[in-house]
């Protein structure tokens, strides 16, 4: 049975297994896939930024890691968004591993109150497995870039030809550095980052841009510097105003790859071949710091024709497309519920009383903002029926209902159902009768399968009798069954 859980990145064994699964899924079938190194992820996950939460999540088949997910969300801006990357090694695909990871992501995002999911895919050919999976979940492609590569060390003959064709740079001064930005340039560099965020094509992606301050720049560069050497060339006018910059990252623990990141020329300064001069100067800086790396990667929007032409002059070749995808989901309330069976296969249900009549449902309820599914389940069972769990039960059903009337302030619910085997007991939770009534709960009852099937009243889920019959006949599913 496949289970999904967040891992502690400080656990060296589980972290390595998570990274191995992530890496195997990313590189499969791609000649130029680029992924941060094991050491880079270890740094970022074990010492998290105050601006972003990053969670490492695994799918386990017994004790074997069969899939990995990186689940990220920002803490001070873009508060409706989450970024997800789901990767399954080829040998474990088509077993529902990706679906199980996605169900975990959907529940966690609902718990955070976030409804916009974003992801990126490297797509070397079509149809592509990741694209098919994302499309099946409802994602749409909102922005496409070319992923381009040029060999390193950079061709000295081409470099000389580019210098000659670029001519003399007049009216501007170039300043280059390696590492963090010198203090005297921090404000100008922060302002250029803000301009870059506002200028870079993003297609239909939902993103809130936040102005860069010197404090944000310094904090970000200090974090990045632990894993990457930044190479920067910045242009100023002769009067001292910033006009543009270009940025290369040299990973400290990747022996093969270098990343050409931002290149920006402010609009008032375009048409002077400034972008070419910036790149030439930064390539000279790269030559001073290059070790054994063999590839320089960059990404350029299909719509950015000016930069596409620059890349072509510099000898970059397209290796694949980088697609950015987005999915907006309804605001759903997450809940943890229990399928409690005794040794005689009797099922414990609670009775809700509503204006339109009674409803029998499994014990459980909505999660508190800081609870995990397992924590919420334990609390709900203690409150409603007085059952204390000694171990984490398996998740067997996952239900998403989009409809009014399920939870105030929400467009529906996500119910995750856990299977619990226990001796029969008299249900009596810590809630008083008045507290239970305030939640419309007015009793408990153990049901045989025959009684479930003969009952003419309402259940939740609606087809509970047949679901329980299937569960008793076949046992827990390999991955949580998606209910209608």
């Amino acid at each position: 049975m496949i289970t999904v859980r967040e891992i502690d990145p400080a656990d060296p064994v589980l972290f390595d297994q998570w990274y191995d699964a992530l890496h195997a899924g990313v590189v499969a079938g791609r000649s130029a896939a680029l992924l941060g190194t094991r050491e880079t992820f270890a740094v970022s996950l074990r010492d998290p930024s105050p601006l972003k939460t990053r969670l490492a999540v695994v799918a386990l088949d017994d004790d074997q890691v069969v899939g990995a997910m990186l689940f990220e969300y920002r803490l001070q801006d873009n508060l409706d968004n989450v970024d997800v990357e789901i990767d399954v090694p080829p040998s474990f695909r088509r077993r529902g591993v990706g679906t199980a990871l996605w169900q975990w992501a959907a529940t966690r995002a609902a718990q955070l109150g976030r409804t916009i999911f974003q992801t990126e895919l490297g797509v070397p050919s079509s149809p592509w497995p990741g694209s098919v999976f994302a499309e099946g979940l409802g994602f749409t492609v909102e922005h496409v870039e070319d992923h381009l590569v040029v060999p390193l060390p950079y061709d000295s003959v081409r470099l000389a030809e580019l210098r000659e064709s670029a001519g003399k740079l007049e009216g501007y001064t170039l300043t280059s550095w390696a590492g963090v930005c010198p203090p005297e340039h921090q404000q100008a560099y922060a302002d250029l980052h803000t301009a870059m965020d506002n200028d870079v094509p993003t297609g239909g992606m939902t993103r809130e841009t936040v102005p860069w301050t010197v404090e944000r720049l310094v904090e970000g560069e200090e974090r990045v510097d632990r894993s990457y050497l930044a190479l920067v060339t910045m242009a100023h006018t002769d009067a001292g105003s910033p006009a543009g910059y270009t940025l290369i990252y040299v990973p400290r623990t990747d022996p093969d790859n270098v990343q050409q990141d931002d290149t920006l020329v402010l609009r008032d300064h375009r048409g002077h071949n400034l972008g070419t001069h910036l790149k030439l100067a930064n390539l000279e800086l790269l030559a001073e710091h290059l070790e054994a790396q063999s590839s320089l990667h960059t990404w350029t929007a299909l719509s950015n024709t000016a930069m596409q032409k620059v890349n072509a002059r510099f000898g970059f070749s397209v290796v694949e497309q980088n697609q950015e995808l987005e999915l907006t989901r309804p605001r759903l309330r997450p809940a943890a519920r229990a399928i409690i069976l005794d040794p005689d296969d009797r099922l414990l249900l609670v009775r809700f009383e509503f204006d339109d009549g009674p409803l029998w449902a499994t014990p459980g309820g909505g999660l508190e903002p800081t609870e995990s599914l397992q924590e919420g389940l334990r609390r709900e069972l203690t409150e409603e029926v007085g059952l204390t769990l000694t171990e984490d039960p398996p998740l067997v059903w996952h239900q998403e209902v989009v409809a009014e009337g399920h939870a105030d302030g929400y467009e529906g619910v996500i119910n995750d159902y856990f299977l619990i085997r226990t001796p029969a007991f008299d249900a009596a939770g810590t809630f008083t009768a008045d507290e239970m009534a305030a939640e419309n709960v007015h009793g408990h009852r153990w049901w045989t399968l025959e009684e479930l099937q003969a009952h003419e009243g309402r259940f939740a889920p609606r087809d509970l009798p047949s679901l329980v019959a299937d569960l008793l006949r076949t046992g827990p599913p390999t991955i949580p069954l998606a209910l209608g």
Side-chain angles (χ1 to χ4, degrees), residues 89-246:
S91 58
F92 300 121
R93 291 176 182 171
R94 306 193 68 80
R95 293 172 47 186
V97 176
T99 299
L101 287 163
W102 169 250
Q103 290 173 347
W104 187 99
T107 298
R108 177 57 65 92
Q111 189 177 359
L112 294 167
R114 301 189 180 221
T115 59
I116 300 174
F117 291 78
Q118 298 180 333
T119 192
E120 291 189 19
L121 292 173
V123 181
S125 60
S126 184
W128 185 247
S131 302
V132 173
F133 177 70
E135 182 180 351
L137 295 175
F139 280 88
T140 57
V141 177
E142 298 291 348
H143 183 56
V144 181
E145 297 179 327
D146 281 333
H147 176 185
L148 307 101
V149 175
V150 69
L152 294 174
Y154 194 79
D155 185 343
S156 59
V157 173
R158 182 186 287 271
L159 193 63
E161 292 173 348
L162 286 167
R163 284 198 199 98
E164 183 176 354
S165 63
K168 183 179 179 181
L169 181 62
E170 297 182 348
Y172 297 93
T173 301
L174 302 183
T175 303
S176 299
W177 66 83
V180 299
C181 179
E184 63 270 23
H185 296 302
Q186 287 174 346
Q187 186 61 63
Y189 194 35
D191 292 343
L192 287 171
H193 274 289
T194 299
M196 180 68 187
D197 285 351
N198 290 323
D199 186 79
V200 65
T202 58
M205 299 296 286
T206 304
R207 291 205 179 112
E208 172 192 358
T209 59
V210 180
W212 283 74
T213 63
V214 169
E215 292 74 19
R216 179 186 174 190
L217 176 73
V218 170
E219 193 276 337
E221 285 199 315
E222 287 176 350
R223 292 188 60 81
V224 168
D225 191 59
R226 293 179 295 178
S227 300
Y228 298 89
L229 175 66
L231 307 179
V232 181
T233 297
M234 186 163 67
H236 287 86
T237 65
D238 288 345
S241 300
Y245 76 103
T246 190

Side-chain angles (χ1 to χ4, degrees), residues 334-405:
R337 300 195 172 276
I339 307 160
I340 303 175
L341 294 170
D342 73 3
D344 294 324
D345 290 339
R346 295 189 305 162
L347 176 67
L348 180 63
L349 298 178
V350 296
R351 188 180 84 252
F352 289 88
E353 293 286 351
F354 298 111
D355 292 341
D356 57 351
L359 172 76
W360 289 93
T362 55
L367 301 181
E368 300 295 340
T370 59
E371 286 181 323
S372 68
L373 273 171
Q374 299 285 357
E375 290 168 343
L377 180 68
R378 291 172 187 272
R379 177 185 52 75
E380 287 285 341
L381 293 183
T382 299
E383 293 171 351
E384 286 190 3
V385 299
L387 179 62
T388 300
L389 299 183
T390 58
E391 58 184 23
D392 291 341
L395 173 62
V396 294
W397 301 338
H398 177 86
Q399 180 189 42
E400 300 184 12
V401 180
V402 180
E404 295 181 357

Side-chain angles (χ1 to χ4, degrees), residues 216-388:
R216 179 186 174 190
L217 176 73
V218 170
E219 193 276 337
E221 285 199 315
E222 287 176 350
R223 292 188 60 81
V224 168
D225 191 59
R226 293 179 295 178
S227 300
Y228 298 89
L229 175 66
L231 307 179
V232 181
T233 297
M234 186 163 67
H236 287 86
T237 65
D238 288 345
S241 300
Y245 76 103
T246 190
L247 166 64
I248 286 175
Y249 285 124
V250 182
R252 298 191 185 278
T253 54
D254 185 341
D256 301 316
N257 301 292
V258 177
Q259 302 170 37
Q260 167 68 62
D261 204 66
D262 300 348
T263 297
L264 171 72
V265 176
L266 296 178
R267 293 186 181 276
D268 290 345
H269 302 281
R270 294 173 185 174
H272 303 282
N273 220 10
L274 189 53
T276 297
H277 283 281
L278 285 166
K279 285 181 174 287
L280 286 170
N282 228 31
L283 284 174
E284 293 174 0
L285 185 61
L286 174 61
E288 299 175 16
H289 295 274
L290 191 66
E291 296 178 355
Q293 293 92 342
S294 58
S295 298
L296 176 61
H297 299 251
T298 195
W299 297 262
T300 302
L302 300 184
S303 60
N304 191 347
T305 55
M307 190 54 65
Q308 290 279 11
K309 292 177 180 178
V310 171
N311 288 331
R313 289 203 304 271
F314 276 82
F316 282 92
S317 299
V318 177
V319 293
E320 62 182 13
Q321 282 192 342
N322 187 73
Q323 297 182 352
E324 295 183 78
L325 301 92
E326 185 168 297
L327 167 64
T328 300
R329 289 167 52 89
R331 190 171 298 277
L332 305 178
R333 185 189 185 192
R337 300 195 172 276
I339 307 160
I340 303 175
L341 294 170
D342 73 3
D344 294 324
D345 290 339
R346 295 189 305 162
L347 176 67
L348 180 63
L349 298 178
V350 296
R351 188 180 84 252
F352 289 88
E353 293 286 351
F354 298 111
D355 292 341
D356 57 351
L359 172 76
W360 289 93
T362 55
L367 301 181
E368 300 295 340
T370 59
E371 286 181 323
S372 68
L373 273 171
Q374 299 285 357
E375 290 168 343
L377 180 68
R378 291 172 187 272
R379 177 185 52 75
E380 287 285 341
L381 293 183
T382 299
E383 293 171 351
E384 286 190 3
V385 299
L387 179 62
T388 300

Side-chain angles (χ1 to χ4, degrees), residues 51-73:
L51 302 178
K52 178 191 288 187
T53 294
R54 308 182 87 199
L55 304 179
V57 181
V58 295
L60 294 159
D61 188 354
D62 293 328
D63 293 328
Q64 184 179 23
V65 174
V66 295
M69 176 168 63
L70 185 64
F71 184 92
E72 305 178 86
Y73 52 97

